[in-house]
Amino acid sequence: MISISGQSPAEGEKQVGLNSLIEFNLIDGGSGIDLSSIVAEVSGARAVENADFIDGFDGEFSSINLEDDGVSVVIDKESSFSQDEVCLIKIQAKDLNEKFYNFEYVFKAIQSAPRLISSSPQSGALVKSDQVIFLEFE
């Protein structure tokens, strides 16, 4: 059985830098991982196939490394993510027993504008005296 760990950016992470690396580890459950079977897509675009990086995803830090417990993959996208982009990462790998495993997760790039998530006093409230105003942005 193959499992995944060490996803960076992490599943559901928000405010990811526009030039972030995509990293994950495929953990070997005992039967071995067929390195040539690893396929990865980033937002619908093929990034890795046959243990090789596709144009646009073969940046300086892109690598596939065998580790003691599996395979470590780093994808260095050659262009920046778009602001507000929700990135869907899909990964497929096959073990040496010919069983396929599929994984997917999402993260979101930095928003184009800050978003007010909390305020005191609340929006629309009337301030009648001196008061400390608290604003929290994301």
Side-chain angles (χ1 to χ4, degrees), residues 13-87:
E13 189 171 341
K14 298 177 184 175
Q15 303 293 345
V16 172
L18 301 180
N19 293 312
S20 294
L21 299 174
I22 299 167
E23 303 178 55
F24 57 88
N25 298 310
L26 296 173
I27 306 302
D28 178 11
S31 64
I33 298 172
D34 177 356
L35 197 60
S36 67
S37 74
I38 298 172
V39 174
E41 289 185 359
V42 177
S43 296
R46 187 67 51 105
V48 177
E49 187 171 46
N50 297 321
D52 201 11
F53 293 94
I54 307 300
D55 286 343
F57 297 92
D58 196 12
E60 177 181 353
F61 301 106
S62 290
S63 65
I64 298 175
N65 296 305
L66 290 173
E67 305 283 334
D68 290 339
D69 60 348
V71 178
S72 170
V73 179
V74 177
I75 301 171
D76 183 1
K77 192 172 182 244
E78 294 176 36
S79 60
S80 299
F81 294 110
S82 301
Q83 287 186 311
D84 293 320
E85 181 178 353
V86 175
C87 304

Side-chain angles (χ1 to χ4, degrees), residues 121-132:
Q122 291 188 355
S123 178
L126 182 61
V127 178
K128 296 181 180 182
S129 62
D130 291 345
Q131 183 174 354
V132 174

Side-chain angles (χ1 to χ4, degrees), residues 94-135:
K94 180 174 70 171
D95 66 19
L96 297 180
N97 292 329
E98 303 290 318
K99 184 171 180 185
F100 283 92
Y101 296 87
N102 295 291
F103 309 95
E104 62 180 52
Y105 66 98
V106 296
F107 59 86
K108 186 175 181 181
I110 292 174
Q111 295 179 342
S112 57
R115 182 174 63 97
L116 180 64
I117 58 172
S118 177
S119 68
S120 175
Q122 291 188 355
S123 178
L126 182 61
V127 178
K128 296 181 180 182
S129 62
D130 291 345
Q131 183 174 354
V132 174
I133 297 175
F134 171 79
L135 302 171

